[in-house]
Amino acid sequence: MEMNRITDRNACAYKEIYEILKIFPQELVSQIPQETINFFNNNMNKNYEYDISVDTFDGQTMLEETKAILTILFRDYWATPVQREKILNYENSARDKLEEETRMKYNPDNLFKKKNSQDYVEKHIEETAMVEYKESIFKKIINKILNIFKFR
């Protein structure tokens, strides 16, 4: 179910990209390989309506997937070498930061170690605290009677 929804959003994003590329200058579109444009055309949702013009193109009325694809197209085909290097450095640092956070969260070295032995002991003591048991008066009387018969 979830996979179909993701596929549907991607197909809609391909439709948006295809429509956006129609309003882009031809010299920019010609820098994209024809196989990529054909991929968008073949995999887009043909029933999805997305009307865009030069006047209405603001970057806000598109899916997040469309923004991601446009970013990739810019990085791979339209960016200067300096821009491409900056984008790649940013992506690498963001990826490294995410990997570091994941490694710290799920560190296999500390997975089976106790977090803090003092906290563990205090918690364990609180959970197993002694409770004073008081016998009821009836139970005391019954035990006394049983003890008398047991010893004689």
Side-chain angles (χ1 to χ4, degrees), residues 24-82:
F24 269 29
Q26 187 58 35
E27 57 269 4
L28 290 178
V29 176
S30 65
Q31 294 174 359
I32 301 172
Q34 191 60 42
E35 298 87 36
T36 305
I37 295 173
N38 289 339
F39 175 80
F40 295 144
N41 188 23
N42 294 336
N43 294 303
M44 70 180 174
N45 182 350
K46 308 259 192 247
N47 298 325
Y48 179 66
E49 294 294 326
Y50 185 71
D51 294 322
I52 191 84
S53 67
V54 176
D55 298 329
T56 60
F57 183 70
D58 60 357
Q60 302 299 319
T61 59
M62 63 179 78
L63 297 171
E64 291 298 318
E65 290 84 350
T66 306
K67 292 177 185 178
I69 294 169
L70 278 176
T71 303
I72 293 169
L73 290 175
F74 176 79
R75 180 196 67 199
D76 291 346
Y77 303 114
W78 302 323
T80 65
V82 174

Side-chain angles (χ1 to χ4, degrees), residues 76-97:
D76 291 346
Y77 303 114
W78 302 323
T80 65
V82 174
Q83 290 172 329
R84 183 174 294 118
E85 188 66 31
K86 285 182 180 181
I87 292 170
L88 290 174
N89 287 339
Y90 175 77
E91 289 174 348
N92 289 336
S93 67
R95 187 179 312 109
D96 291 344
K97 182 179 177 185

Side-chain angles (χ1 to χ4, degrees), residues 5-150:
R5 198 175 79 134
I6 292 171
T7 305
D8 291 342
R9 286 184 60 89
N10 287 344
C12 293
Y14 298 150
K15 173 71 172 196
E16 289 183 5
I17 289 292
Y18 193 75
E19 294 297 323
I20 290 170
L21 290 178
K22 285 182 182 178
I23 64 168
F24 269 29
Q26 187 58 35
E27 57 269 4
L28 290 178
V29 176
S30 65
Q31 294 174 359
I32 301 172
Q34 191 60 42
E35 298 87 36
T36 305
I37 295 173
N38 289 339
F39 175 80
F40 295 144
N41 188 23
N42 294 336
N43 294 303
M44 70 180 174
N45 182 350
K46 308 259 192 247
N47 298 325
Y48 179 66
E49 294 294 326
Y50 185 71
D51 294 322
I52 191 84
S53 67
V54 176
D55 298 329
T56 60
F57 183 70
D58 60 357
Q60 302 299 319
T61 59
M62 63 179 78
L63 297 171
E64 291 298 318
E65 290 84 350
T66 306
K67 292 177 185 178
I69 294 169
L70 278 176
T71 303
I72 293 169
L73 290 175
F74 176 79
R75 180 196 67 199
D76 291 346
Y77 303 114
W78 302 323
T80 65
V82 174
Q83 290 172 329
R84 183 174 294 118
E85 188 66 31
K86 285 182 180 181
I87 292 170
L88 290 174
N89 287 339
Y90 175 77
E91 289 174 348
N92 289 336
S93 67
R95 187 179 312 109
D96 291 344
K97 182 179 177 185
L98 180 63
E99 287 176 2
E100 180 66 23
E101 289 172 358
T102 304
R103 191 182 70 74
M104 292 301 290
K105 187 174 182 182
Y106 303 108
N107 190 352
D109 298 333
N110 297 330
L111 192 58
F112 296 107
K113 291 182 181 178
K114 293 179 182 173
K115 297 289 185 205
N116 187 345
S117 60
Q118 184 64 27
D119 291 341
Y120 175 76
V121 170
E122 288 175 5
K123 181 179 176 190
H124 193 2
I125 289 172
E126 287 177 11
E127 290 176 0
T128 59
M130 298 287 287
V131 177
E132 186 178 339
Y133 177 70
K134 294 185 179 182
E135 271 186 314
S136 69
I137 189 76
F138 298 113
K139 188 72 172 172
K140 286 181 183 180
I141 294 172
I142 292 173
N143 285 340
K144 289 281 187 182
I145 294 172
L146 290 175
N147 283 339
I148 292 173
F149 289 120
K150 196 183 283 185

